[in-house]
Amino acid sequence: MPSEDGKPPVKLSLPLEYQQDVFNELRSEDELLVLARGLGLIRVVTNLLHSYDAAGNNLIILVGADERENGWIGEGGVYQPIKSQDEESTKAQGLSQVNTDAMSVELLNPETVTGLVVLHAERIIATSIEAFIIRIYRQMNKAGFLKAFSDNPEPFTTGFSPLATMMRNLFLRKPSLWPRFHITVAKSLEGRKKAEVIELEVPMSEGMKDIQTAILECVEVSISELRKAGTGIELDDWTIDSALHKSFDVIIRRQLDPVWHRVSYRTRQIVNDLTVLRSILHALLTYDAVSFNKYLDTILAAHQPPPGSNRQNQSPWLFLDSANTMFESAKRRVYTGKPIEGDVPVTSEALPDSLRPVLEEQPKWAVLADILDEIERDAYFNPIVQDDSNGTILVMCSDQNTCRQLREYLQNMHVHPLKSEESDTLDDDDGPGVKPSATFMMRRKLRNYLDWKKDFARVSASLFTENQKALNGYTDQSGANGYKGKGPPNKRRRVRGGSAAAAGGGRPVNSSLQIAEDKASQVASLMAEIQPTDADAAQKEEVAVDSLDDMEDYFELYEMQDLVVIHPYDGDQDEHVLEEVRPRYVIMYEPDAAFIRRVEVYRSSHENRNIRVYFMYYGGSVEEQRYLSAVRKEKDAFTRLIKERASMSITQGTEGSVSDPQEHFLRTINTRIAGGGRLAATAEPPRVVVDVREFRSSLPSLLHGNSMIVIPCMLTVGDYVISPNICIERKSVRDLISSFKNGRLFTQAETMLQHYKNPMLLIEFDQNKSFTLDPFADAHSSTSSLSTAQNPSDLQSKLVLLTLAFPRLKIIWSSSPYETAKIFEELKKLQEEPDPIKAVQVGLVAGEEPGDQSFNQTPQEMLRAVPGVSGKNYQRLTLEVGTLQEVANLTEEEMDPFVGREAGRQIWRFFNRSVFDD
């Protein structure tokens, strides 16, 4: 707590004015802090927590932080992670971070907690575990503080009164908004010496421009097709600019989820195609030419049926001329036909006998080499006065793949693999006229690509099959059972010209789909032209795994000014990279608004550290548009939040539950009881005994929100016990399908019938999905060639068999967790309250502890899905083998004592099957 003179008890590391103002606000009152990305949210949270920690006698609970954030916050403070239900854990002092699954159980007695700090407040919704924790804490601890943080303003602007709704979920009344255009933030970052920024607009090559234009045309056609489909999606404000964002296809899918089973197959394809086209746009600007062409080959194989199939379900964009332009331009960037010496063939159908490599380089590579050369010359001719910065060059890019690509380019850009007759024309040494080149790297990639192409045909058919499964909701699109894309024997069309034509597809092939395949002789000549030269052989091979043998012989320390560090954008981790590396030069290979602000904060926080930033982007590309659009979206989001805050109503009295004694007294009175029925009333709130593994779902939170006492226990039988006679097993639809497949549901129903008078099976649907079984299978296909457990009609028949086998088992259908909470409230009327001790003891063998029955649920579910594992043998397998890795490494003979010979053979075949097998 603060000292008596009001000053913080510790020295803070908040050098900027806006950081100090935010800290003082947080210390004075509870609020929701929404800070723009890159302005140092974790630094503010760390200083706040350490100020409370240094004051002593404080137990601060941190909710919503990931593992890396836990490490950053715990580096300088008292850090005690709570991992189990330990009574002493709530008596500790300092900073504590908890697992949210167990936290809702731990906080049922939160009086000893000084305060609650919530990170990533934008993720808090009414049904989340974090909202449950906040509600328990605020209802049972009125004196403790509660502070929430977020650096993502966009989620606070979707829906009706989103900020007010979020404030109710967080039990807070005051929001504090700090955008980049806040006057204090602008003064802090622009008033001091700013970093030197050099903006470099890199023009795209002609091939890249053609491909980008073709992709955008495909996106535009796909959006227009969605408008024509009449699916009820709000597409009026959608443009190509909207389709470039990562959440575009997610928004479409969320709108279609309630009617997904009624959406046509063509619409599903278009939704999937928009995701694919956006990924192609990203690959165009980040992949090299060979990798991009390879990526297009996999996409074409996944969306084009294999030879011999007459399916009419190709993606619509593949029929466009733009698609043909895309594939042809991508191939021309890698290799093209070499003119034939001598007379030119008269027939236009003749193809050149050989191919020659083109190997177009990414335009940014040459600019990157020029920047490094400029930095080296500048450091030599214009030495800077020594300061606190190192001479390190930091290169920032989007992901690890780009880092790997740049590292390989920088290592080999001065290697020139030339033929002997060509090398004779050059000097013996690489003079200043020889420019850096990626020829060596691209030739190696092309050799690997041609080798990969030989084996690719073996898996291309499987790619198409898997893509169809994903579109159909994990069912097949076969028109007739057993023929897999071909018509039945009596329906096959006669084809003149022999069996070779008949063996082909039964449909006319569109020209844009028919990508010309290269002849074997052409590929052989291309391979001969790019064979490794002496310069290639002199280079070391790529090291995938280093055994670290003889490490002492190669170990040395480099000077910091000699290092080039390549690092991907990684959120708040970038602040630690800047502080540890202390670079003199930063090259932003791709634009990122948050990192620009982090550089501003870094430079403004350290007056004695000079820094120069090179900002690269492709001019006129979607990369530039995406960056500008992201900045504009964040600014618009803060503008909307400021306007809503000005007119937002404050909810009073949200900290406690319903306190009307009459409502408590009359909660079980039913005025419709006739015939002298028992009339009961009690002032005690209703109780529900809940299995602790159910706290990963949202139902316990909603039950607690409906003024019920939730008692967590380790239950052996059932998931919820609402009275001494009523036990409920809750299943989502996917859990229901898997329980039918492994037979676990029949065992659970049998144990409930043995110990309870009224056992019930609750089938709960997702709130945002349709209340029907149709989405879990394709409603448009007549039959299914996959497992029958995924067919809705078969699922219903299994439910019928379950009720026939257990007549006393009642089945309850619920459309959402909200509806389930209402059903529980109705079921508890005129019922006695459950005894938690008896509920725990039900199903246990004499002398057995409830904790002995617990296993990690995720690996257990994975094990049950393995062929050969059944409800009879999986318990023996989990008791004898510790992990899934050990199961995968067992031989057939070692599995025989646990599961039997036949089941062991199936398990062994599953883990040892080759991905190339049909």
Side-chain angles (χ1 to χ4, degrees), residues 60-64 82-85 90 96-110 113 115-116 129-130 132-134 136-137 695:
I60 314 299
I61 303 297
L62 180 65
V63 178
I82 300 177
K83 296 182 179 178
S84 61
Q85 289 179 269
T90 56
S96 296
Q97 193 278 335
V98 293
N99 185 349
T100 53
D101 294 342
M103 181 62 185
S104 51
V105 181
E106 296 278 352
L107 265 184
L108 293 180
N109 187 16
V113 179
L116 199 66
I129 303 296
E130 291 80 6
F132 187 20
I133 295 171
I134 295 170
I136 295 175
Y137 168 74
F695 277 83

Side-chain angles (χ1 to χ4, degrees), residues 429-474:
D429 55 346
D430 291 342
V434 180
K435 294 184 179 180
S437 172
T439 305
F440 169 78
M441 180 181 74
M442 297 296 290
R443 285 164 62 93
R444 182 164 59 182
K445 287 181 177 293
L446 181 55
R447 287 195 297 270
N448 296 335
Y449 166 73
L450 295 176
D451 292 335
W452 168 84
K453 190 77 172 176
K454 298 176 183 177
D455 297 330
F456 178 64
R458 301 169 58 186
V459 296
S460 59
S462 300
L463 285 174
F464 177 75
T465 304
E466 292 299 324
N467 186 53
Q468 295 303 302
K469 290 179 184 178
L471 285 175
N472 297 335
Y474 305 99

Side-chain angles (χ1 to χ4, degrees), residues 56-57 111 181 218 225 257 259 326 401 431 442 606 636 647 737 809 879 896-897:
N57 298 323
E111 287 84 359
F181 54 83
C218 293
E225 288 292 327
D257 268 339
V259 293
M326 182 197 315
N401 291 331
M442 297 296 290
H606 304 282
D636 294 343
S647 59
I737 293 173
L809 179 67
L879 292 174
D896 190 4

Side-chain angles (χ1 to χ4, degrees), residues 288-347:
D288 59 84
V290 178
S291 300
F292 180 71
N293 190 40
K294 180 179 178 180
Y295 181 60
L296 287 185
D297 286 344
T298 59
I299 288 179
L300 184 61
H303 291 78
Q304 189 176 26
S309 173
N310 60 356
R311 294 180 178 177
Q312 299 290 337
N313 49 9
Q314 292 83 2
S315 295
W317 67 274
L318 287 174
F319 291 91
L320 301 175
D321 294 336
S322 303
N324 189 48
T325 303
M326 182 197 315
F327 288 102
E328 292 296 334
S329 300
K331 183 179 291 187
R332 284 198 303 269
R333 294 176 67 206
V334 181
Y335 57 86
T336 185
K338 179 183 292 186
I340 302 175
E341 297 180 0
D343 297 334
V344 178
V346 179
T347 57

